Amino acid sequence: MKLLLAVILVPFAGLLVLVLAYRLAFLCLSRRGTAIVTHTSLHQQEDSEGYLNRHYRISIRYEVAGRNYEADGFQGLVDYAVGSEVSIRYRRGKPQDVHLGYWGNLWTLAVATALAVSFAWFMLN
């Protein structure tokens, strides 16, 4: 049983480490900016066990070097007011590659990676 869990957890932990490395690389190569929320909509979906999953879809508008950009399809648990300012990070050479709420996702990923790697190490030793 211990070997089976290790076979599952080690690749999963490795994948999380790679995703975290990608996110950290994006953080180092991106710039901070602000955007204006242009649209939000609530999406609710009931899962197979009857639980209601709720999230908001968010659209934003932002400016980089005098050029306007729009992005949509962001998902979040917070309902931002239309017209409010939000923090974004965008890739320096490709401003269309933008992320909203980057720090929260990064910390969640870092904690999940640390837990998975720790549990995998514990299972192997």
Side-chain angles (χ1 to χ4, degrees), residues 13-120:
L15 179 65
L16 282 176
V17 168
L18 287 175
V19 171
L20 182 60
Y22 169 79
R23 293 278 179 123
L24 288 172
F26 178 83
L27 182 64
C28 292
L29 299 173
S30 65
R31 290 194 174 167
R32 185 179 176 278
T34 58
I36 302 296
V37 175
T38 58
H39 180 76
T40 63
S41 60
L42 175 63
H43 289 264
Q44 301 183 83
Q45 184 175 2
E46 195 171 301
D47 65 13
S48 61
E49 296 179 6
Y51 293 103
L52 188 61
N53 296 315
R54 299 173 53 160
H55 68 272
Y56 294 92
R57 291 209 177 138
I58 304 158
S59 300
I60 60 171
R61 183 181 65 243
Y62 59 103
E63 182 180 322
V64 175
R67 185 168 175 205
N68 290 321
Y69 295 91
E70 292 186 17
D72 58 6
F74 297 107
Q75 292 186 14
L77 298 175
V78 177
D79 183 19
Y80 294 102
V82 172
S84 63
E85 279 192 3
V86 292
S87 293
I88 59 169
R89 293 209 62 98
Y90 60 90
R91 192 176 305 273
R92 292 175 187 178
K94 187 178 178 187
Q96 304 89 328
D97 186 5
V98 63
H99 294 261
L100 174 68
Y102 196 78
W103 284 106
N105 294 338
L106 187 61
W107 281 111
T108 303
L109 181 60
V111 169
T113 302
L115 289 174
V117 168
S118 298
F119 194 65

